[in-house]
Amino acid sequence: MAGGFFISKTVGIVAIVLGLGAVATIIALSVVYAQEKNKGISDVGTSTTASPGTSTTTTASPGTNTSTTTPAPSNPWNQWRLPATLKPEFYEVSLQPFLKPDANNMYIFKGNSSVVFLCEEATDLILIHSKNLNYTMQGTFHATLQAEDGGTLPAISRTWLETPTQYLVLQLGAPLQQGKRYRLSSSFTGELADDLAGFYRSEYTDASGNKQVVATTQMQAADARKAFPCFDEPAMKANFTVTLIYPSGYKAISNMPAENTTQQEIGGEIWNVTKFYTTPRMSTYLLAFIVSQFEPVENNTGKTVIRIWGRPEAINEGQGAYALNVTGPILNFFEKHYNTAYPLPKSDQVGLPDFNAGAMENWGLVTYRENSLLFDAEYSSIGNKERVVTVIAHELAHQWFGNLVTLRWWNDLWLNEGFASYVEYLGADSAEPTWNIKDLMVLNELHTVMATDALASSHPLSFREEEINTPAQISEVFDSIAYSKGASVLRMLSSFLSEDIFKEGLQSYLHTFSYSNTIYSDLWVHLQQAVDKNKVQLPDNISNIMDRWTLQMGFPVVTVDTRSGAVSQAHFLLDPTSSVDRPSVFNYTWIVPITWMTGSGRRNDTWLTKVRDTNNDFRLTSPDWLLLNLNVTGYFRVNYNQENWNQLVQQLDTNHSVFPVINRAQIIDDAFNLARARYVNVILALNTTRFLSRETEYMPWQAALTNLKYFKLMFDRSEVFGAMSAYMKKQVTPLFEHYKKLTNNWSNPLNDGLLMVQYNEANAISTACSYGVTDCQHLAANYLSQWRNSTSNPVPPNLRSAIYCSMVATGGDDAWQFLWKKFQEARVVSEADKLRTALACSPHPWILSRYLQYTLDPTKIRKQDATSTINSIASNVVGQSLAWDFIRANWRTLFTQYGGGSFSFSRLILSVTQRFSTEFELQQLEQFKEDNQDIGFGSGTRALEQALEQTRANIKWVEENMAAVQSWFESETRTK
């Protein structure tokens, strides 16, 4: 699954601080501006549930006989995990969604299902997952039981729904027989709610202004049980035969192609009945079915039928064309990469108006947010295009890794999502080879997640199986550590093994475990076999090397002293004084693969296997310099003695192109983070940005803007920000002029083959407008004026995020209302997203307060977009305190409306607290935690602890660095 926000994926704009020319004063606004890739995180909606062992009274649907139970905690139905007694083999599921509301104004679906299961151990108890389903009672029981093998059939003594742990329970009068098969059948009704989970309802307005309803699914992680009773754990693989009954005039699709469609009269109306071919053995969370009036665009030329589905207007406008063009090449790439044919006869991909995550890898029927699948060249930027191709590659990677071979339980989610988050860059590179997109992984995944993983409240990639039990706990595992750290350590592993050896082990793993389940260490076994076969020299076996990266949190900082050649490692913490409560059997030491180069042209690789060592290759004399971690293939930071740092900065100032472009970004990112952790002086970090006035590449600029964003967050409410703004203006003006010349005064758009060149153009404009470069603000004002007097939008798609923000920041309520109207009229989601985010750029508190209220009204801001809109407002210096007050006042409403399992709560908490740097703000945050203990924080629980830790670190950092930072910015901008 690709996250709905998830790790903030930059599309060329990370920090937007708007410069407003009022009496030469800069009102600093900070809006984190990104088409959010949200990779690695997911917005799996899961409602919170009572803890096991809660004494409960459960009832069946109204008007039926009910069983009341007050179970003891030790009973199997009080445990969150299924017992190992029964194993499903085959389901037949028939579902009938009603796409008009009933007499109670509810949307419902009716269903029948049966499951044939094998009894692995004799038992007199059947537990099967069921959530929010009302059963048609069969006599006095919720379900019926048959013996498939002609064996004796125990009688059912009673049945009940165990709501807290989401089970339908059947107590039998005698045990089922080991080795025998049985069939459990039931009929039920469920609500086709708009909660984005299970079998749910999505709505949109068609070209004629009519509301249309779509019945669709999101089963991951634990919501297949909302659609039909099932053994809803990933290791409980089975074959599924799905039948959908739906109104004429609609289309139905599922994981497999349709076998046949007939008509049937039900209640005086003609309904279509489509039976789909039986699936291969698969997990319940990958099941999908959709009833809609969507249209496809398709390609039948290869052996796999490829179809892109969406709203008819979107498909007719050609918005599915780009996805269709890249899907075939990406599938071909993965078939070769895995040395395994695509396992299904077709690949459907569907863009949904309402969808909580970024996308979901349902086998053969991948579902997406519209902005992650549909692309309109007239409205969509190169960043939208990158999002589409990378998310498609992420989900298609799962069709083998995750779907064909599935992790046994959610504690190993990191391997599933981390792997897809790594190879998505390889798949996207195969479809867009001129983009150099593989390099972006360092910025988008590695640097981003290190900020989280350097906190004492981080967690290891792998959890123990018993640590993850409840749906809310499962939901919390879908975080940036799983996605982005997972991707980064797998990239490191592939790098030190070589991609060919990595692929050889991967292919062996997939061939061995097809249609089965694994644990993470199974992959290590197969990679080790490839290592042994090819006689690859490693300092230890793969399991021992990788366990240090997966079973303990964090990462090392490797420190080198070029005077002596001494090299050492230590657990890197942004706050070195914070106490690490989580013990590690490896004592926070790692086996570190190191690549290096020197100023005199030598380069090689080595390993650091202990805490301290000496490497004579690292002993140098000035002016030679040493650079470690070439192209940042290793997941660690690097620190040097002061003399070597000085030489590196000197090299940047004289000829920065000697360093690989990724390492120019690395020097900046490492220096700033080492300064935050008090390993080096903050002045050293700031010195690494001086060369930017001569730099035109995207990655170093992006690294600098990301890191200077922290300075902006800490200082944009203080006098430091005046001097900082003057420095930023001085540094970005040459870049702005470079692009002005390159585009012939913004009249010639850049070539689409140049991804990063276009990204840095957006950086140049967003930064220049933000920090008050007059030419830039005039550019935005002129675009607004042209747009008001024209039927077409004059702003090039790549520049819209930056330009729209400047329009709102400088244009008052007139401009805000103009863009709000454009947002409401936007028929392309990526365009709506840009407008929605830009509307948070206003400097007026009353406008931002009104916008915050809109987030609680789904007719104004879609539910799926509410939290990211609040986050955008919180990123604005004027909006931050308003958003914090809003969150505190409305926490209960937000929590109730979205259910504690939605991943977006962690983002929300981190966004509204990101500027906190005073004791008073810390007290407010602690009070917020105390005031809401009764309702809780759901998937934001860990984020709240991280926010408290980050605030304490911010307080210390500001106290220690404010004076020196102000002095440095002032000295750099004095007329010399």
Side-chain angles (χ1 to χ4, degrees):
M1 178 185 300
F5 85 86
F6 188 19
I7 306 180
S8 198
K9 164 84 164 57
T10 55
V11 293
I13 304 169
V14 162
I16 293 203
V17 188
L18 286 169
L20 299 174
V23 205
T25 325
I26 292 177
I27 294 182
L29 292 173
S30 155
V31 174
V32 174
Y33 220 108
Q35 296 314 314
E36 309 219 70
K37 174 135 181 208
N38 305 309
K39 212 161 313 296
I41 291 109
S42 152
D43 294 359
V44 180
T46 329
S47 57
T48 52
T49 45
S51 58
T54 311
S55 194
T56 58
T57 301
T58 63
T59 58
S61 53
T64 62
N65 293 328
T66 62
S67 303
T68 302
T69 77
T70 307
S74 58
N75 287 322
W77 53 82
N78 295 115
Q79 311 304 313
W80 286 99
R81 295 296 301 277
L82 287 166
T85 48
L86 309 175
K87 186 173 160 192
E89 293 186 340
F90 179 73
Y91 291 82
E92 290 172 303
V93 181
S94 178
L95 294 167
Q96 180 183 17
F98 290 80
L99 303 179
K100 295 190 175 77
D102 64 11
N104 300 318
N105 207 30
M106 275 180 66
Y107 289 84
I108 64 162
F109 64 89
K110 292 182 178 177
N112 298 292
S113 76
S114 68
V115 55
V116 173
F117 58 83
L118 177 68
C119 178
E120 302 257 84
E121 290 172 38
T123 178
D124 62 356
L125 197 65
I126 298 173
L127 295 184
I128 188 166
H129 285 111
S130 175
K131 182 181 177 187
N132 299 354
L133 296 175
N134 289 321
Y135 288 80
T136 304
M137 302 302 280
Q138 317 287 327
T140 57
F141 303 126
H142 292 77
T144 61
L145 192 63
Q146 295 165 270
E148 286 287 290
D149 301 334
T152 55
L153 181 68
I156 301 172
S157 56
R158 66 188 184 114
T159 66
W160 72 93
L161 291 168
E162 189 61 36
T163 308
T165 42
Q166 306 176 359
Y167 289 127
L168 166 61
V169 187
L170 286 81
Q171 180 72 62
L172 308 178
L176 300 170
Q177 287 178 268
Q178 185 177 1
K180 297 289 187 183
R181 286 173 175 79
Y182 301 87
R183 181 186 294 265
L184 181 73
S185 304
S186 61
S187 299
F188 47 87
T189 303
E191 184 185 358
L192 200 64
D194 60 353
D195 58 357
L196 312 180
F199 197 17
Y200 74 91
R201 177 177 93 253
S202 175
E203 296 175 356
Y204 65 95
T205 304
D206 67 17
S208 309
N210 300 316
K211 183 176 88 170
Q212 298 295 344
V213 174
V214 178
T216 184
T217 55
Q218 170 60 35
M219 306 307 198
Q220 192 181 40
D223 283 313
R225 63 194 69 175
K226 281 185 69 190
F228 63 100
C230 54
F231 298 92
D232 199 9
E233 293 187 358
M236 296 287 187
K237 286 193 170 184
N239 303 99
F240 296 83
T241 303
V242 173
T243 299
L244 292 176
I245 304 165
Y246 54 99
S248 56
Y250 286 76
K251 297 182 174 71
I253 49 178
S254 187
N255 303 81
M256 296 294 287
E259 185 175 350
N260 59 63
T261 299
T262 57
Q263 268 78 40
Q264 191 176 335
E265 187 178 327
I266 305 171
E269 291 182 39
I270 300 297
W271 292 70
N272 290 332
V273 181
T274 296
K275 181 184 179 188
F276 296 90
Y277 284 104
T278 301
T279 70
R281 264 173 56 80
M282 61 182 282
S283 303
T284 49
Y285 80 87
L286 294 167
L287 207 61
F289 26 87
I290 300 176
V291 173
S292 72
Q293 291 178 305
F294 287 172
E295 293 291 342
V297 54
E298 60 186 271
N299 182 344
N300 294 318
T301 54
K303 61 182 176 51
T304 304
V305 177
I306 297 168
R307 295 184 295 187
I308 311 297
W309 296 78
R311 292 176 293 107
E313 306 88 87
I315 295 300
N316 293 339
E317 288 167 4
Q319 292 182 37
Y322 180 65
L324 189 67
N325 287 343
V326 297
T327 295
I330 291 170
L331 282 174
N332 292 338
F333 169 81
F334 283 127
E335 285 193 321
K336 293 191 187 81
H337 194 76
Y338 296 131
N339 190 24
T340 306
Y342 176 68
L344 300 178
K346 58 93 172 174
S347 171
D348 279 321
Q349 300 182 91
V350 185
L352 292 165
D354 297 287
F355 193 71
N356 214 350
M360 178 62 214
E361 67 267 19
N362 316 300
W363 215 3
L365 175 51
V366 183
T367 46
Y368 296 81
R369 277 195 187 198
E370 286 190 352
N371 65 0
S372 302
L373 183 70
L374 304 181
F375 178 81
D376 185 319
E378 189 183 335
Y379 289 96
S380 304
S381 68
I382 187 87
N384 299 128
K385 193 181 245 190
E386 190 221 325
R387 176 163 174 81
V388 169
V389 73
T390 50
V391 177
I392 288 174
H394 181 103
E395 304 310 332
L396 295 182
H398 277 309
Q399 304 300 298
W400 291 262
F401 199 102
N403 298 9
L404 180 64
V405 179
T406 310
L407 275 308
R408 187 173 73 195
W409 185 243
W410 302 106
N411 60 305
D412 283 339
L413 176 87
W414 76 268
L415 184 55
N416 192 27
E417 293 299 352
F419 183 86
S421 299
Y422 165 45
V423 298
E424 74 180 57
Y425 287 90
L426 311 186
D429 181 64
S430 73
E432 295 286 3
T434 65
W435 283 5
N436 295 327
I437 195 169
K438 289 192 279 190
D439 292 353
L440 279 182
M441 203 179 145
V442 172
L443 290 178
N444 296 343
E445 316 298 338
L446 188 140
H447 282 170
T448 309
V449 77
M450 277 182 162
T452 301
D453 206 22
L455 300 175
S457 54
S458 187
H459 64 84
L461 279 169
S462 261
F463 293 93
R464 295 190 311 280
E465 190 167 342
E466 61 273 16
E467 286 182 279
I468 309 298
N469 291 296
T470 70
Q473 286 169 342
I474 294 167
S475 179
E476 210 175 8
V477 176
F478 285 79
D479 69 356
S480 62
I481 296 290
Y483 284 69
S484 297
K485 181 177 180 177
S488 300
V489 299
L490 289 167
R491 173 176 172 265
M492 175 174 69
L493 171 60
S494 176
S495 176
F496 72 70
L497 290 181
S498 83
E499 193 171 303
D500 287 343
I501 304 292
F502 185 82
K503 280 197 299 193
E504 189 177 320
L506 171 65
Q507 291 165 4
S508 167
Y509 166 85
L510 287 169
H511 295 162
T512 303
F513 296 108
S514 291
Y515 306 104
S516 300
N517 293 83
T518 58
I519 55 176
Y520 78 93
S521 54
D522 291 324
L523 180 59
W524 300 165
V525 170
H526 285 263
L527 289 171
Q528 188 64 48
Q529 288 169 0
V531 163
D532 295 343
K533 180 182 158 194
N534 291 279
K535 298 184 169 51
V536 178
Q537 295 299 307
L538 296 174
D540 207 328
N541 64 48
I542 283 182
S543 180
N544 286 343
I545 294 170
M546 294 308 295
D547 281 355
R548 285 163 168 78
W549 298 95
T550 61
L551 301 183
Q552 60 183 352
M553 68 180 186
F555 56 89
V557 52
V558 173
T559 300
V560 184
D561 190 330
T562 56
R563 295 166 301 183
S564 62
V567 56
S568 62
Q569 59 167 296
H571 182 191
F572 181 78
L573 292 166
L574 276 175
D575 178 5
T577 63
S578 57
S579 61
V580 176
D581 298 328
R582 190 186 281 267
S584 164
V585 293
F586 306 108
N587 204 25
Y588 292 103
T589 60
W590 289 263
I591 298 176
V592 187
I594 294 174
T595 51
W596 56 271
M597 67 184 282
T598 66
S600 55
R602 291 184 302 137
R603 56 172 65 207
N604 211 330
D605 53 70
T606 184
W607 288 84
L608 179 60
T609 58
K610 45 196 180 188
V611 176
R612 281 180 194 79
D613 206 346
T614 301
N615 186 325
N616 287 327
D617 285 328
F618 294 169
R619 189 184 291 133
L620 304 175
T621 53
S622 183
D624 203 359
W625 46 256
L626 175 70
L627 180 70
L628 260 59
N629 202 10
L630 304 185
N631 291 320
V632 195
T633 53
Y635 183 70
F636 58 92
R637 294 201 180 280
V638 187
N639 188 20
Y640 307 95
N641 54 304
Q642 186 64 45
E643 188 178 347
N644 196 65
W645 272 118
N646 292 344
Q647 295 301 335
L648 292 173
V649 171
Q650 176 70 25
Q651 183 66 64
L652 284 174
D653 286 345
T654 51
N655 180 11
H656 58 265
S657 62
V658 170
F659 299 128
V661 66
I662 297 180
N663 286 99
R664 305 205 291 271
Q666 172 219 16
I667 289 169
I668 294 169
D669 199 68
D670 278 355
F672 273 92
N673 281 277
L674 289 164
R676 279 179 69 184
R678 300 196 276 290
Y679 278 86
V680 302
N681 191 291
V682 70
I683 301 308
L684 165 64
L686 289 167
N687 285 340
T688 65
T689 68
R690 280 201 310 245
F691 82 101
L692 290 174
S693 58
R694 295 178 305 283
E695 175 66 89
T696 57
E697 289 282 352
Y698 168 67
M699 291 187 70
W701 261 103
Q702 188 58 40
L705 290 173
T706 302
N707 283 290
L708 288 167
K709 180 191 160 197
Y710 180 70
F711 284 63
K712 181 162 55 63
L713 291 171
M714 292 304 97
F715 296 132
D716 64 4
R717 298 176 291 175
S718 78
E719 63 173 324
V720 177
F721 199 63
M724 179 177 173
S725 296
Y727 175 73
M728 292 301 294
K729 189 173 176 180
K730 174 182 141 186
Q731 293 298 85
V732 78
T733 297
L735 186 68
F736 181 80
E737 294 298 330
H738 166 77
Y739 277 102
K740 185 177 177 182
K741 185 177 174 185
L742 203 59
T743 59
N744 190 18
N745 201 16
W746 315 107
S747 58
N748 300 336
L750 296 167
N751 185 311
D752 248 15
L754 305 169
L755 179 78
M756 294 202 226
V757 176
Q758 293 198 38
Y759 277 1
N760 219 28
E761 179 189 30
N763 269 344
I765 288 181
S766 66
T767 309
C769 279
S770 303
Y771 287 103
V773 173
T774 314
D775 269 7
C776 188
Q777 293 182 334
H778 286 164
L779 179 67
N782 288 341
Y783 275 134
L784 179 59
S785 171
Q786 287 174 45
W787 198 5
R788 283 181 185 278
N789 299 312
S790 165
T791 52
S792 61
N793 185 343
V795 187
N798 288 336
L799 308 183
R800 287 181 183 175
S801 291
I803 294 290
Y804 289 172
C805 188
S806 191
M807 287 176 178
V808 170
T810 56
D813 193 42
D814 279 355
W816 199 95
Q817 294 292 355
F818 178 75
L819 267 71
W820 172 252
K821 184 166 175 283
K822 294 296 181 187
F823 165 70
Q824 291 180 304
E825 293 168 354
R827 47 187 186 70
V828 177
V829 176
S830 59
E831 175 71 1
D833 285 345
K834 292 182 184 75
L835 289 161
R836 181 172 54 77
T837 309
L839 288 164
C841 294
S842 173
H844 303 296
W846 67 273
I847 291 177
L848 295 173
S849 293
R850 178 182 65 193
Y851 197 24
L852 280 166
Q853 290 302 321
Y854 286 5
T855 65
L856 295 179
D857 181 352
T859 65
K860 289 188 166 73
I861 300 291
R862 277 187 179 276
K863 265 188 178 184
Q864 68 179 25
D865 296 325
T867 51
S868 67
T869 305
I870 298 168
N871 294 348
S872 297
I873 295 167
S875 296
N876 176 335
V877 66
V878 180
Q880 189 264 318
S881 59
L882 301 172
W884 173 230
D885 290 346
F886 179 81
I887 293 297
R888 288 187 293 173
N890 294 286
W891 183 253
R892 284 169 193 276
T893 308
L894 290 163
F895 197 86
T896 309
Q897 195 167 339
Y898 295 98
S902 167
F903 186 86
S904 53
F905 280 111
S906 56
R907 280 181 285 148
L908 196 58
I909 289 169
L910 293 172
S911 287
V912 296
T913 61
Q914 62 185 343
R915 273 189 184 79
F916 283 12
S917 55
T918 67
E919 290 291 345
F920 178 64
E921 285 164 332
L922 179 61
Q923 286 167 20
Q924 285 187 321
L925 192 52
E926 287 167 338
Q927 189 66 49
F928 173 69
K929 179 181 176 182
E930 192 180 314
D931 291 347
N932 293 287
Q933 285 294 357
D934 58 329
I935 186 169
F937 304 94
S939 64
T941 305
R942 186 179 288 128
L944 183 61
E945 295 308 313
Q946 289 170 347
L948 285 161
E949 183 182 353
Q950 187 63 60
T951 301
R952 292 184 191 105
N954 291 347
I955 291 167
K956 270 195 272 195
W957 188 86
V958 169
E959 283 173 358
E960 290 170 9
N961 294 293
M962 188 169 179
V965 169
Q966 181 165 355
S967 173
W968 188 87
F969 279 129
E970 286 171 351
S971 70
E972 286 295 319
T973 49
R974 261 185 225 116
T975 308
K976 292 178 182 174

